Amino acid sequence: MEGGENRVDVIRRVIDAEIPVAGHIGLTPQSLNVMGGYKVQGKTLSAVEQLMRDAVALDRAGVACIYLEDSARIGAMITAEVETPTIALEPARLRWPVLVFQRSG
């Protein structure tokens, strides 16, 4: 489900109904019209901070995983902050279209 802080109430209700949710932040294709088209997210400090707040909100809501469409650098920072498994989708920069981050320790 696309969205972070702005969708956390809906996400919690879905999870409370025993339906697993995969969170999705960063470039969210279903929200293209709202975002003004395909635009790289997380280019400014405030945008990175918002992605971090969104990830933490999804983590606290209890999502099964978090899909990130952003840079691997931001994905690594988010992965370090949340307990939820993160999956970075950045086909333009990766040799393979999906990069899975796993928190160690």
Side-chain angles (χ1 to χ4, degrees), residues 1-2 22-29 38-41 65-76 78-79 85-101:
M1 185 174 292
E2 290 184 357
H24 187 171
I25 60 174
L27 176 63
T28 49
Y38 286 100
K39 294 183 180 177
V40 175
Q41 304 298 300
C65 65
I66 301 172
Y67 289 97
L68 308 163
E69 295 205 35
D70 56 31
S71 74
R73 176 184 53 84
I74 296 169
I78 289 172
T79 299
T86 56
I87 300 169
L89 307 170
E90 194 182 82
R93 292 190 183 184
L94 298 176
R95 187 171 180 184
W96 299 278
V98 176
L99 175 62
V100 178
F101 287 97

Side-chain angles (χ1 to χ4, degrees), residues 17-71:
E18 300 179 3
I19 301 169
V21 172
H24 187 171
I25 60 174
L27 176 63
T28 49
Q30 295 171 358
S31 304
L32 283 179
N33 292 333
V34 173
M35 295 170 32
Y38 286 100
K39 294 183 180 177
V40 175
Q41 304 298 300
K43 290 174 84 172
T44 66
L45 178 58
S46 64
V48 171
E49 290 171 338
Q50 183 60 56
L51 286 170
M52 188 67 72
R53 286 192 301 272
D54 288 339
V56 168
L58 292 175
D59 183 51
R60 290 181 180 162
V63 297
C65 65
I66 301 172
Y67 289 97
L68 308 163
E69 295 205 35
D70 56 31
S71 74

